[in-house]
Amino acid sequence: ATAAQPKETYNVAKAKKLWQAGLKQLSKSKLDLTLVASDTTTDKNVSEFLQSQLESKLPGLKVTVKNLPSKSAYNLAANGKFDLYLSFWINDYADPYSELQTLE
C-alpha cells in the first residue's frame, strides 16, 4: 500500500501556479479546450463537474463539453479530435485478468 500511494495531492495553489507557467510558456492569457464524453447521464454529470471545477480553479480556462453518443465520442477520440476525453471501463468479471487484457 505504501508503494501505491499517490505522490501528488489535491493542491489548488500549485495547480494555479503551474497553469500560469504553462500559459506564459505558450504566450497566452487564456485557453479554450473541448471535453468529449458520451451522452450517458453519468458522463454528462461528470463532464459538467469537471468543467465547473477546471474553469473555477484555473483562471483563463474555458472548457466546452461535447456529450455525444458513445460511438461518436469514441470515434473523435480515436481520430485525435479532442483536447480532453472522458472515458471509463468496468471489469467484465471479477478477475484481474479482465483489467490486464485491456491493452491487448
Side-chain angles (χ1 to χ4, degrees):
T2 303
Q5 286 183 344
K7 300 203 182 343
E8 292 291 332
T9 58
Y10 183 78
N11 186 333
V12 176
K14 184 176 180 182
K16 284 182 180 180
K17 183 179 177 184
L18 292 170
W19 172 249
Q20 291 302 325
L23 287 175
K24 184 177 179 181
Q25 186 176 13
L26 294 171
S27 300
K28 296 186 180 244
S29 60
K30 63 180 185 162
L31 196 61
D32 296 334
L33 300 176
T34 300
L35 169 61
V36 175
S38 74
D39 60 356
T40 64
T41 302
T42 301
D43 277 9
K44 284 181 182 179
N45 290 338
V46 171
S47 58
E48 288 173 8
F49 173 77
L50 289 172
Q51 178 188 38
S52 70
Q53 289 298 300
L54 290 168
E55 288 181 349
S56 68
K57 306 289 191 274
L58 302 175
L61 177 61
K62 170 141 178 44
V63 177
T64 302
V65 174
K66 269 189 173 180
N67 290 111
L68 304 167
S70 295
K71 192 167 188 166
S72 297
Y74 174 78
N75 286 336
L76 282 180
N79 291 310
K81 297 183 190 256
F82 68 98
D83 297 308
L84 304 165
Y85 177 57
L86 177 64
S87 174
F88 72 93
W89 181 83
I90 299 173
N91 291 0
D92 299 331
Y93 46 89
D95 186 294
Y97 183 71
S98 183
E99 291 184 26
L100 296 172
Q101 70 175 344
T102 58
L103 298 178
E104 289 181 356

